[in-house]
Every structure is written in C-alpha cells, then in structure tokens.
Amino acid sequence: MTAIILIGFMGAGKTTIGEHLAAKSGLSLIDLDAQIVAKIKMPIQQYFDNYGEAAFREQETAVLAETIATGGIIATGGGIVVKEMNRALLKEQPQVVYLRADFDTLYNRIKQDPINVRPLATDKTAEEVRAVFAPRVPWYEEAAAVIVDTDQKSPAVIAEEILERLENA
Ligand code: S3P
C-alpha cells in the first residue's frame, strides 16, 4: 500500500499536516510516536530517562519498518533520521516529504507546545536545540523525495501542495 512519509524537525507540523493529508487522500494516518508510546507503555520522556536515546531509536526503527509495510500517511518523530538504518529505510521509499521550516519558527512552536514533552528540546536553550537541529538538516534533505517549505503557510495549504507535488514527481 502507498506510504506517504512526513519527516522534519520537532515542531514542523508532521502530525497536523498528516491529519489534513489523511482527510484529503482517504489514507489513514499513522503517528510513529503514538505507535511507540503504545508499544513501550510509557511516555517518551520516561523511556528516555529509563533506557536512553539509543534504546528509543531501536524502538523507532522497528515501528518505522512495520508501518512502512502497512502504508498510509506516516508522521515520523523528528529524530527518525538520526539512525543510519532509518535513513536507509527512508531512502528506499519514493514518497518521503521533508517539511522544512526556519529554526526560529520550529523553536517557537516547540516552546509554545503545551502537550508534547520532548526530551531533546523541552526545557533546553535555543543553542542546545540548534545543536540537535543542525546536523539533521542534510539528513532530512537526503532522505526526501520532495521538500516543502512550510513557513507562513497553513496546514491545509501545505497538504494540498504535497499531494500536487507527489502527483507530479
Ligand atoms: C524527537 C522528536 C519527537 C519524539 C522524541 C524524539 C527527536 O517527535 O520522537 O521526543 O529526536 O527529534 P516530534 O518530532 O513529533 O516532536
């Protein structure tokens, strides 16, 4: 089944844009973080505290591989590109969409998010978060079939643009 995979940093709007894409395309939305939380049976922050980031990345790889096989609109976590295995899985996929945004936009969204507690960003300074962001940028770009600039666009407009661009890709 078709998989449209959304990648991008924390705060890029992967889940929100995924909801719009699902509504427009009729495909179901699978949120990788939500799948992982269901599997590990605890919040992501607690899993990081107990087992560390490397263990979380292992969970992420397993869930990514399972989800690609299922298909649908897949909203990934911002760190999906950190592990080489995940980058290899993404590169095999024809419909990987990088939701690109300026660092300041992303950082402000992360800071204003009352729901998601993010071990690598919540309670961190802008410089600490930038140090997480910077090395990932080339990985997002390399993994993507389509790059969509999202600053100052609504989720609905972005979803429309993604479907158009994938159709013409
Ligand atoms: C992470 C991003 C989070 C979540 C975890 C790690 C990251 O997902 O997977 O906190 O390393 O960038 P979102 O991008 O949905 O916030």
Side-chain angles (χ1 to χ4, degrees):
M1 193 191 168
T2 320
I4 298 177
I5 306 176
L6 303 178
I7 64 170
F9 199 62
M10 295 173 264
K14 300 177 292 285
T15 304
T16 309
I17 293 163
E19 283 164 1
H20 284 264
L21 277 175
K24 281 181 200 289
S25 67
L27 295 170
S28 49
L29 172 67
I30 304 171
D31 185 275
L32 282 199
D33 281 344
Q35 298 283 313
I36 295 170
V37 167
K39 200 169 160 202
I40 62 183
K41 299 187 173 63
M42 67 181 80
I44 291 173
Q45 175 76 62
Q46 194 184 336
Y47 194 83
F48 263 68
D49 290 345
N50 291 355
Y51 304 105
E53 181 178 348
F56 178 79
R57 300 292 169 215
E58 293 295 330
Q59 297 289 352
E60 211 171 28
T61 302
V63 172
L64 175 65
E66 282 163 24
T67 317
I68 285 175
T70 312
I73 310 291
I74 302 176
T76 61
I80 198 78
V81 293
V82 169
K83 202 159 157 249
E84 197 181 350
M85 171 81 185
N86 295 348
R87 299 201 295 274
L89 283 170
L90 290 172
K91 273 187 193 159
E92 286 170 3
Q93 293 301 308
Q95 301 196 105
V96 175
V97 179
Y98 170 28
L99 302 178
R100 183 160 65 184
D102 287 343
F103 177 77
D104 290 342
T105 307
L106 297 166
Y107 184 72
N108 287 333
R109 288 209 197 117
I110 293 166
K111 289 289 130 181
Q112 284 160 18
D113 185 340
I115 296 165
N116 294 302
V117 178
R118 297 167 162 120
L120 300 179
T122 306
D123 300 332
K124 305 275 189 218
T125 66
E127 283 328 298
E128 285 169 324
V129 180
R130 198 189 287 278
V132 176
F133 171 75
R136 291 183 182 179
V137 171
W139 291 332
Y140 293 130
E141 289 174 352
E142 279 163 30
V146 168
I147 299 177
V148 178
D149 284 308
T150 62
D151 287 286
Q152 270 122 42
K153 291 180 196 161
S154 72
V157 165
I158 296 165
E160 202 56 61
E161 182 178 336
I162 290 170
L163 292 175
E164 266 174 38
R165 302 247 329 252
L166 286 176
E167 227 167 80
N168 299 321

